């Protein structure tokens, strides 16, 4: 069984500040991990993915995440927040044998203050 | 590339009627598509896996007679909410494996409001 926990349903940062969105996972098999972003009334856009290659993964829009097996974490970071980063962020896990079946975390709303 | 289109983006219907939502892969073929449901301010829950040419696979707790899924071609899957009730009001999102390995491409979603 797999599950994802996102710590903090709402994160607020100032423009230019570090963004840190937390994600912890549980998986009985080595997982694939993903971060998606959702803007209001839209579908999901992939930010980045971990599929057992490099543990530090770089994505679009300056985001990156590090897979830490010892901590079962896959936190999302961005050095400097931009106003356009304000959105809903979802961490997701899948079994490599069935990558179509994504298990999503509860989501974190990122607010960026000017 | 790898675009998934959903239609309609918004639909309002009366209680007791049926509503069909279409999910199309525009520039690739998809033998499998996935339907998710998202309640306001909540996460996405997988409802079912749509398989081209065969029956859909439903997740536990999802009524297959309530949410009819048809995947008649390699580019089209449809979700029909039958005898809709206000509690069926939600954001429905479909996805399909695109060209990039191990990655799903999501549609823009369809917001259903049942009065």
């Amino acid at each position: 069984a797999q599950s994802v926990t996102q710590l903090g349903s709402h994160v607020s940062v100032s423009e230019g500040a570090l963004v840190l969105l937390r994600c912890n996972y549980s998986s009985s098999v080595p997982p694939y991990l993903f971060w998606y972003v959702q803007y209001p009334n839209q579908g999901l856009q992939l930010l980045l993915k971990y599929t057992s290659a490099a543990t530090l993964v770089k994505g679009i829009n300056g985001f990156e995440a590090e897979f830490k097996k010892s901590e079962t974490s896959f936190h999302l970071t961005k050095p400097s927040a931009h106003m356009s980063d304000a959105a809903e962020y979802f961490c997701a896990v899948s079994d490599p044998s069935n990558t179509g079946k994504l298990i999503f975390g509860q989501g974190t709303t990122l607010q960026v203050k000017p | 590339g790898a675009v998934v289109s959903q239609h309609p983006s918004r639909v309002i219907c009366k209680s007791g009627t049926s509503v069909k939502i279409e999910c199309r892969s525009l520039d690739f073929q998809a033998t499998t598509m996935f339907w998710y449901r998202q309640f306001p301010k909540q996460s996405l829950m997988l409802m079912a896996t749509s398989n081209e040419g065969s029956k859909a696979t439903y997740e536990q707790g999802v009524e297959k007679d309530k949410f009819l899924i048809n995947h008649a071609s390699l580019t089209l899957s449809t979700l029909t909410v039958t005898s809709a009730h206000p509690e069926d009001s939600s954001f429905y999102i479909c996805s399909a494996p695109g060209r990039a390995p191990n990655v799903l491409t999501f549609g823009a979603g369809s917001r259903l409001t049942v009065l």
Side-chain angles (χ1 to χ4, degrees):
Chain A
Q2 297 178 306
S3 66
V4 174
T5 301
Q6 290 182 240
L7 300 177
S9 60
H10 190 100
V11 170
S12 181
V13 301
S14 298
E15 189 174 19
L18 171 71
V19 175
L20 171 61
L21 304 183
R22 300 178 185 274
C23 172
N24 287 88
Y25 70 91
S26 173
S27 179
S28 56
V29 299
Y32 284 178
L33 294 159
F34 308 82
W35 275 100
Y36 283 88
V37 61
Q38 183 182 34
Y39 296 99
N41 293 310
Q42 294 187 29
L44 277 70
Q45 180 182 6
L46 179 69
L47 281 176
L48 47 80
K49 63 178 180 177
Y50 166 76
T51 55
S52 74
T55 56
L56 181 62
V57 181
K58 294 186 183 297
I60 62 172
N61 302 338
F63 285 94
E64 64 180 39
E66 185 172 8
F67 172 70
K68 292 186 176 180
K69 183 178 178 180
S70 61
E71 299 178 6
T72 61
S73 68
F74 190 59
H75 302 330
L76 181 70
T77 61
K78 181 173 180 176
S80 176
H82 192 273
M83 296 297 291
S84 60
D85 294 326
E88 188 80 12
Y89 291 80
F90 292 96
C91 181
V93 63
S94 75
D95 183 331
S97 66
N98 186 7
T99 55
K101 190 169 181 177
L102 288 175
I103 306 298
F104 285 89
Q106 306 92 317
T108 298
T109 301
L110 176 64
Q111 179 187 23
V112 181
K113 298 177 291 185
Chain B
V3 177
V4 173
S5 173
Q6 271 187 252
H7 178 80
S9 58
R10 293 176 181 269
V11 57
I12 301 173
C13 70
K14 293 182 178 180
S15 185
T17 61
S18 294
V19 174
K20 180 184 287 187
I21 300 170
E22 294 185 346
C23 179
R24 294 182 184 273
S25 56
L26 295 187
D27 51 357
F28 66 102
Q29 294 181 333
T31 57
T32 303
M33 290 185 176
F34 303 91
W35 287 95
Y36 288 83
R37 182 175 183 176
Q38 184 180 30
F39 289 105
K41 303 296 184 182
Q42 295 189 31
S43 189
L44 286 80
M45 299 295 293
L46 180 65
M47 297 175 65
T49 302
S50 172
N51 304 298
E52 188 268 333
S54 64
K55 293 183 179 180
T57 305
Y58 290 82
E59 295 300 304
Q60 190 174 8
V62 177
E63 300 175 60
K64 62 180 180 181
D65 295 330
K66 172 76 172 175
F67 298 99
L68 299 179
I69 291 174
N70 184 278
H71 195 150
S73 78
L74 288 171
T75 59
L76 175 64
S77 174
T78 61
L79 168 68
T80 301
V81 183
T82 62
S83 187
H85 290 280
E87 57 265 32
D88 299 325
S89 298
S90 190
F91 196 51
Y92 294 89
I93 307 175
C94 70
S95 68
R99 294 198 177 90
N102 309 309
V103 174
L104 292 181
T105 297
F106 285 81
S110 299
R111 183 164 300 285
L112 170 64
T113 302
V114 184
L115 302 177

